[in-house]
Amino acid sequence: MDEKLLKQYAEFAVKVGVNPQKGQTMLISCSVESAFFARLCAQAAFEVGARDVVMKYTDDQFARLRMQHADVQTLEDVKPYVLRSYLDYAESEGGVCILNIHDSDPEVFKGLDAEKIARATKARREALAAWREYTMKDKVQWSIVAIPGPAWANKVFPGQADAEEKLWQAIFRVCRVQQGADVTSAWREHLARLEARRDRLNELRLESIHFESGNGTDLTVGLADSHTWEAAGGRTPEGYEFLPNIPTEEVFTAPHKDKVEGVVHGTKPYVYNGEIIDGFWVRFEHGRVVEYHAEKNEGLLGHLLDTDEGARHIGEVALVPASSPINQSGILFYSTLFDENAACHIAFGAGYPGTVKGGNTMTKQQLAALGVNDSLVHEDVMIGAADTTITGKTKDGQTVALFQNGEWVF
Ligand code: ZN
Ligand code: ZN
C-alpha cells in the first residue's frame, strides 16, 4: 500500500468530505481492523482545528458472534447511552461532525436467522432515530468513505492473493485519488459537472420521469411537489459544506411516495443486513410495492419491505449514466456506496427532506403532504441498465428525453 496515497485519501475524506470546523468534535465510526486509517483521519481533523476526535470502533466478527448467540430480546434492548453517545456531542457547544469508514464484509451475517437480524436492526434504527435526523436533514456534516477489509476484498476479487491491494487500487481510481494529482481540484471539476446537470433538471420543472429497459422495466416515478434535484454536496444550516458520499456520481430527487407505477428490475446485486439480494423485481401501484420477486434471498427482500409502511414506498430516485467510472471499472463492489454510483437507482424508505424546497426545516407532516416518504430505512437499489431510456414529463405536459442507451441526452 502506497503510504502517500493513503494519507492523501484520509486528508481528502476529512478536509473535503467532512470539513470539520474549529472547535467541533469529529466522531469516527470504524472497524478495529481499519484503526490505522482512522488514526490518519484523526490526525487530519486535528490539523484543521477539530476540538476533539472520538473513535467509535466496530467489529464485524464480534457483531456476528453476538447476532448468533445473544437472544433477540437482548439484541432489541438498545440501551439509551447508545443514542446519547451521539447526542451528547451533537448538543454540546461547538457541535459535531461524523466520518463513517466503511470496510464491512458484505455477507457478515450470511446464513444467520433473517428474522432475528431484521428485528435487531429495526430496534437499533428506532433507538437512533433522533440522531438520524441530524444526518438526514444535513444538520451536521457527515461523510462515508470506504477502505478494503479482507472479507470485502475477497468477495470483490475472489481467490486472488492480492485482493486487498486490487480493491485499494479500484477505490483510489474511482475516488479520483492519483499519484501527483491534486485530489481536491479533480473533485471540484467533477462536482461542477454534476451541478450543471442538477441545474438543467431543475429548470425543466418535471412532474414525472419514466424508465424503460429491455429487461422488462417500465416504471413511472411521479415527483414530490416542490421537489428539487440535488447533487453531491451537502450544506449545514451554518453553511459548512461537506460531501456525504465518496465517491458520488448521482443527481437525485424526491419521488412522490404515492405516485409510482409499474415494474422495475434490479440490475445489480444488492447487500442488505449482511446478505446479498439478487435478480429481483418489484411492482408498484399508487406508490406502494404490491408484488416482488428475487432469485436470491427473496425472503430478505420481504423483510426489508415489511420494516414499516414507508419501506414499501420509495424516497429517492437518482440518475447515473452507464459511463460512470464506477460502472466502467467493470467491478461489482458489493457495497451500496460504490454500486449505487454505477447505475440509476431508487431507494426503498425515507426521502431526504433536502430534496424538496425548504424541506430541512419542515415537520414530518409537512413533508408527507408534499409526498416525501418516511421510514426507518433508506436502501438504494440499482435499476439502471446499458439500454435504459428515461423520459421526463414537464408540468406543462411536454415530454423531454433525459437518457438514451443509459447515457444523458444533454
Ligand atoms: Zn442515491
Ligand atoms: Zn440513497
Side-chain angles (χ1 to χ4, degrees), residues 245 250 252 316 318 336 340 345-347 350 352 378-380:
N245 291 350
E250 62 178 334
F252 61 100
E316 177 191 345
T336 303
E340 71 154 329
H345 55 272
I346 53 174
Y352 286 105
H378 175 100
E379 291 294 327
D380 290 305

Side-chain angles (χ1 to χ4, degrees), residues 14 20 23 47 87 120 151 164-165 173 187 197 201 221 290 307 312 340 379 385:
V14 172
E47 273 168 22
L87 293 191
E164 265 185 78
E165 182 58 30
R173 218 175 313 121
W187 267 83
R197 295 238 150 85
L201 284 168
V221 179
V290 291
T307 306
R312 290 234 164 209
E340 71 154 329
E379 291 294 327

Side-chain angles (χ1 to χ4, degrees), residues 137-158:
K137 288 193 162 176
D138 289 352
K139 289 186 191 172
V140 297
Q141 308 105 277
W142 59 281
S143 189
I144 311 175
V145 285
I147 75 167
W152 178 27
N154 198 48
K155 181 76 199 171
V156 181
F157 298 104

